[in-house]
Amino acid sequence: MNESVVTEFVILGLTQNPELQRVLSIVFLFVYLVAFLGNVLIVIAIISNTTLHTPMYLLLLALAVVDVICTTSIIPKILETMLTSRKTISYGGRMSQLFFFTWSLGAEMVLFTTVAYDRYVAICFPLRYSAIMNHQMCAALLSTVMVIAVTNSWVHTGLILRLTFCGSNTIDHFFCEIPPLLAMSCSPVRINEVMVYVADLTLAVGDFTLTCISYGFIIVAILRIRTTEGKRKAFSTCSSHLIVVSLYYSPVIYTYIRPASSYTCERDKVVAALYTLVTPTLNPIVYSFRNKDMQTGIRKVFASLKR
């Protein structure tokens, strides 16, 4: 069957057990509300407070926007398939979900690296921070993030568009991701696999390596701090950042570095949940809510709402 005549695809979701689906729907709804409201609150706090219009917070603003787009492109559709009898997604809906998820995936990986670089400059070169991380540098970094994310998304979406599906139109996943789509295709997917492998090496492995190098220099700088309290706070922040980025990069590298033939439904669904659900929920807590200036900005937002 030629893909051009296919109008709908069936999404199987995480499980076919009705009772487990109800439990998971509650969990997914909770995760979505926490991730969406938390990241939206960060966006409002940064935009409405001029004291937060600095490169560091503009990068966190971009990260929050990416997380909103990522979760919104996936979770509402998951909830629809769990709570209603409608388990299908249109061809246009499938490609839109794939495009926005792939865009957010690329953007998030590069943003983690830019945030790590920002912290590296702030801690290792505090006296030169304002000169290095000025608004021009911030604009250049964000422009680079956008170009890489859009290019990555267009390439992979375009390559999926050329595939033919002559068998089942059932997607054994909870959203439209590249590996299960390649596993469904009856067309040669060698080019797709090569481009996915290249993207995984450059974006995932490359950015993860750069991020770890930045935090390595940060740890060395922290060890030079004389006060025990200062070391404790710095190590706490650094370790929490490393845990979050590891939770994101590790499953992404695992998922995309393998050929489509090695795709395993149940295990890969759980792995995908780490970078589509867990990380966008943790990001506001780890990167923003623990920050004193951000806490002050959030209090101002709530104070303005009470008036």
Side-chain angles (χ1 to χ4, degrees):
M1 180 172 57
N2 191 287
E3 188 183 10
S4 62
V5 300
V6 175
T7 58
E8 287 186 330
F9 288 81
V10 178
I11 300 178
L12 293 184
L14 282 168
T15 179
Q16 298 301 300
N17 186 318
E19 293 183 1
L20 188 55
Q21 277 192 344
R22 283 192 287 270
V23 174
L24 287 174
S25 65
I26 296 173
V27 173
F28 273 61
L29 179 60
F30 175 76
V31 168
Y32 180 61
L33 289 175
V34 171
F36 182 82
L37 295 176
N39 283 295
V40 168
L41 183 59
I42 289 170
V43 171
I44 295 172
I46 294 175
I47 291 176
S48 61
N49 288 275
T50 55
T51 55
L52 299 179
H53 292 181
T54 61
M56 181 183 80
Y57 292 108
L58 292 177
L59 293 176
L60 294 180
L61 170 65
L63 186 63
V65 170
V66 169
D67 284 335
V68 168
I69 293 173
C70 178
T71 52
T72 302
S73 67
I74 295 172
I75 299 183
K77 188 61 185 179
I78 299 174
L79 294 174
E80 181 186 0
T81 59
M82 286 182 172
L83 299 175
T84 68
S85 58
R86 182 175 173 80
K87 309 293 183 184
T88 58
I89 185 169
S90 67
Y91 178 77
R94 185 195 73 161
M95 299 313 299
S96 295
Q97 187 180 74
L98 177 67
F99 177 84
F100 284 109
F101 168 71
T102 309
W103 177 86
S104 61
L105 188 71
E108 186 123 358
M109 286 188 286
V110 183
L111 274 171
F112 275 140
T113 305
T114 58
V115 171
Y117 174 73
D118 174 81
R119 294 299 82 209
Y120 159 72
V121 175
I123 294 173
C124 297
F125 305 99
L127 299 179
R128 296 174 55 196
Y129 177 76
S130 298
I132 297 173
M133 285 300 297
N134 51 39
H135 286 285
Q136 288 78 15
M137 173 62 79
C138 184
L141 289 173
L142 290 176
S143 298
T144 302
V145 170
M146 180 60 69
V147 169
I148 292 174
V150 170
T151 302
N152 179 63
S153 190
W154 272 118
V155 167
H156 294 298
T157 305
L159 288 173
I160 292 292
L161 282 169
R162 56 182 283 277
L163 297 180
T164 301
F165 296 86
C166 54
S168 172
N169 67 339
T170 301
I171 302 173
D172 196 356
H173 208 325
F174 59 89
F175 72 103
C176 299
E177 194 175 17
I178 294 174
L181 293 178
L182 295 185
M184 288 171 55
S185 174
C186 59
S187 302
V189 295
R190 182 61 179 169
I191 296 176
N192 298 71
E193 288 181 337
V194 169
M195 292 308 298
V196 167
Y197 186 78
V198 169
D200 199 38
L201 284 179
T202 54
L203 289 180
V205 178
D207 280 313
F208 187 38
T209 302
L210 291 174
T211 301
C212 288
I213 290 172
S214 294
Y215 281 114
F217 282 115
I218 290 171
I219 290 171
V220 172
I222 291 172
L223 292 173
R224 296 172 183 160
I225 298 175
R226 295 181 180 179
T227 62
T228 304
E229 182 64 19
K231 280 186 180 181
R232 188 188 66 79
K233 289 182 178 180
F235 267 122
S236 175
T237 301
C238 188
S239 61
S240 61
H241 286 194
L242 279 173
I243 290 171
V244 170
V245 298
S246 297
L247 276 174
Y248 192 81
Y249 284 114
S250 299
V252 169
I253 293 170
Y254 166 80
T255 299
Y256 288 95
I257 208 164
R258 299 170 301 147
S261 57
S262 65
Y263 174 74
T264 53
C265 305
E266 300 307 318
R267 183 178 60 193
D268 285 9
K269 290 178 188 178
V270 176
V271 172
L274 290 174
Y275 54 85
T276 56
L277 306 175
V278 176
T279 305
T281 307
L282 291 177
N283 281 346
I285 300 169
V286 172
Y287 282 96
S288 299
F289 291 159
R290 298 170 64 189
N291 182 285
K292 290 183 179 180
D293 292 333
M294 183 64 74
Q295 290 172 2
T296 302
I298 290 171
R299 281 195 291 268
K300 289 180 180 179
V301 171
F302 283 119
S304 65
L305 293 175
K306 291 179 180 179
R307 294 177 190 147

